[in-house]
Amino acid sequence: LRDDFGPFDGESWINCAMQGPLPRVAIRALNEAVSLKIKPSTLDDSMFYSVPRKLKDALGRLLNVSPEEIVIGNSASYGLHLLANGIPWERGDEVLLVEGDFAADIMPWQGLQSEGVKTRFVRSSNHMPDAEELERSITEDTRVFCTTWVHSYTGHSIDLEGVSDVCREMGVKLVLNGSQAIGYKALDLSRMKVDAVTSGGYKWLCGPYGTGFCWIEPGFLERLDYNQAYWLAMQGEGGLDEAKTGIVENLGAMKYDVFGTASFHNVMPWTASVEYLLSKGLPSIGRHDQELMGLMIEGIDTERYEIISPAESKESSIFVIEHRRGNTREIYNRVISNGFHVSLRYDRIRISPHLYNTVDEVLSLVELLNKFS
Ligand SMILES: Cc1ncc(COP(=O)(O)O)c(C=O)c1O
């Protein structure tokens, strides 16, 4: 699949946890969007509806839900803010968060303090809280548990089935941030009981920066109390020559699509990326990513490096290591200067390969890392 991406000019981008590159089909779609803007006479009014609809179709297939249930966002944060600002809170309500989680999962809820909504952190003895740790932390005030699926800095996953069962039994809404998982892990929303999922589109889903989506269980979505009345969402598909000014009720998820929903330069290439991933099949993409993860786990010299990410499982696509003698930053700089693009996070090296990475480049990176004593 390497040839479907790039060119990378001889360098290795093994940093999908930061940004996924656009596949070539998406670059073609982006060029098409640019052509529409160069010559706007080619942009038909109907495209304001057909372009987002096509994205929703693709995301609906990805998540196994009806396309009408998808909210188009521009980030993971978009959906989290929608929920934080839309859930009808009562003073004293509490949101449980994961200690050490990514900032985007924490801040939207902390902003509710003035409404009397508390936030509290679940601590874990092992990177991510398990079902029991969550259960022990829930109180009668807890309304929401918000967590990342795969942790950005450690690669550890939440036990989704376990926490989902606890949340359901205890009447707590489960809000999941799938930004570091969806694209190499499949999420089948017809089977997995979560109340809301949000994700950026520019990492494992290989979309442009400024893309994202949110799915909110329809009954939950209906109970949100949030004033969003985007004029374009109210028009139906009847053309733009005489815009309606009256609020249309019962728009469903569409009510909450981000403004500028058709955002051609982002939506057209992202749709092409998601369709491309679907055509390759998430299970086979996942197998490829796991093969690369297995090579790193087996190949890295554990006398030199401590593996922070799961070492006993290949399921995560985020490999995190720390040099035992503490010169990780210097090693990172040398890795970069050798043309391997990875991340340095909290003084650890984070390596995150995806479908465009090859066995050879991962083996070469491991060989290079093992040279630093
Ligand atoms: C788990 C997680 N959530 C969210 C983000 C980014 O948030 P947003 O898409 O809202 O900018 C990142 C990484 O940048 C992340 O790792």
Side-chain angles (χ1 to χ4, degrees):
L1 302 181
R2 175 90 170 168
D3 293 342
D4 293 342
F5 288 82
F8 296 105
D9 300 329
E11 301 195 350
S12 288
W13 180 260
I14 318 186
N15 199 7
C16 201
M18 189 206 177
Q19 288 278 332
L22 286 180
R24 290 188 184 175
V25 282
I27 294 167
R28 281 199 288 279
L30 174 58
N31 286 335
E32 220 181 289
V34 171
S35 304
L36 293 168
K37 191 66 186 167
I38 291 171
K39 196 175 166 196
S41 60
T42 54
L43 179 66
D44 191 80
D45 279 2
S46 64
M47 292 185 79
F48 285 89
Y49 302 102
S50 61
V51 165
R53 202 184 323 117
K54 203 164 170 230
L55 174 60
K56 290 186 184 205
D57 282 346
L59 292 173
R61 275 192 285 139
L62 182 76
L63 302 166
N64 202 11
V65 289
S66 157
E68 280 86 47
E69 293 177 12
I70 302 287
V71 175
I72 298 181
N74 55 14
S75 56
S77 296
Y78 181 81
L80 291 165
H81 280 82
L82 191 57
L83 291 158
N85 296 332
I87 293 173
W89 301 106
E90 287 178 16
R91 293 194 87 77
D93 283 349
E94 176 184 83
V95 180
L96 272 185
L97 304 165
V98 173
E99 190 171 66
D101 202 347
F102 193 82
D105 290 336
I106 294 171
M107 292 171 170
W109 315 101
Q110 285 180 325
L112 297 170
Q113 211 176 356
S114 61
E115 290 179 41
V117 177
K118 303 170 285 186
T119 49
R120 201 157 50 82
F121 290 94
V122 188
R123 294 206 169 85
S124 170
S125 53
N126 188 25
H127 297 286
M128 290 295 278
D130 60 24
E132 270 180 32
E133 286 168 321
L134 174 64
E135 190 170 354
R136 279 201 302 273
S137 303
I138 290 174
T139 68
E140 57 181 22
D141 293 336
T142 311
R143 297 282 164 272
V144 167
F145 173 54
C146 172
T147 179
T148 190
W149 187 358
V150 175
H151 197 288
S152 315
Y153 305 133
T154 67
H156 285 266
S157 304
I158 193 97
D159 165 13
L160 196 47
E161 279 195 38
V163 298
S164 161
D165 286 348
V166 168
C167 284
R168 249 182 315 152
E169 277 160 27
M170 304 191 75
V172 169
K173 297 287 186 201
L174 174 58
V175 175
L176 184 72
N177 178 353
S179 295
Q180 293 292 8
I182 298 171
Y184 68 90
K185 284 199 203 221
L187 179 62
D188 181 346
L189 286 172
S190 69
R191 294 165 46 142
M192 182 55 73
K193 295 293 168 229
V194 296
D195 297 286
V197 183
T198 179
S199 175
Y202 51 90
K203 297 178 188 285
W204 305 92
L205 292 172
C206 296
Y209 184 64
T211 53
F213 74 84
C214 178
W215 174 86
I216 303 172
E217 185 278 316
F220 188 21
L221 180 120
E222 217 165 272
R223 288 196 293 281
L224 296 184
D225 179 9
Y226 188 86
N227 173 30
Q228 181 147 319
Y230 180 39
W231 73 275
L232 202 45
M234 306 286 171
Q235 300 309 316
E237 301 207 4
L240 302 176
D241 46 347
E242 285 183 29
K244 293 185 200 123
T245 53
I247 300 250
V248 178
E249 304 289 348
N250 304 322
L251 284 178
M254 190 186 182
K255 170 175 176 182
Y256 295 114
D257 285 339
V258 67
F259 308 134
T261 316
S263 174
F264 302 103
H265 294 152
N266 272 353
V267 171
M268 287 170 66
W270 189 30
T271 304
S273 294
V274 177
E275 286 174 347
Y276 169 80
L277 296 177
L278 287 168
S279 74
K280 299 300 163 198
L282 249 55
S284 62
I285 294 170
R287 277 195 297 278
H288 173 77
D289 287 7
Q290 285 190 18
E291 184 191 352
L292 301 180
M293 179 55 68
L295 294 173
M296 293 192 288
I297 294 171
E298 283 156 27
I300 203 74
D301 180 351
T302 50
E303 291 200 351
R304 287 167 201 224
Y305 294 95
E306 183 187 351
I307 303 179
I308 308 295
S309 48
E312 63 297 336
S313 144
K314 299 184 284 185
E315 256 188 45
S316 174
S317 218
I318 298 182
F319 185 62
V320 182
I321 50 173
E322 188 174 323
H323 199 277
R324 293 191 186 274
R325 271 178 285 282
N327 52 359
T328 310
R329 183 173 289 269
E330 190 191 319
I331 294 170
Y332 165 79
N333 289 332
R334 301 208 9 219
V335 165
I336 294 284
S337 63
N338 275 275
F340 292 98
H341 296 277
V342 297
S343 285
L344 185 71
R345 295 287 183 269
Y346 293 95
D347 242 9
R348 292 164 174 168
I349 293 177
R350 181 181 71 182
I351 307 167
S352 46
H354 200 14
L355 67 166
Y356 44 82
N357 289 119
T358 63
V359 165
D360 279 353
E361 64 187 341
V362 166
L363 288 176
S364 306
L365 173 58
V366 169
E367 194 185 328
L368 175 66
L369 283 165
N370 285 344
K371 284 186 183 151
F372 302 117
S373 49

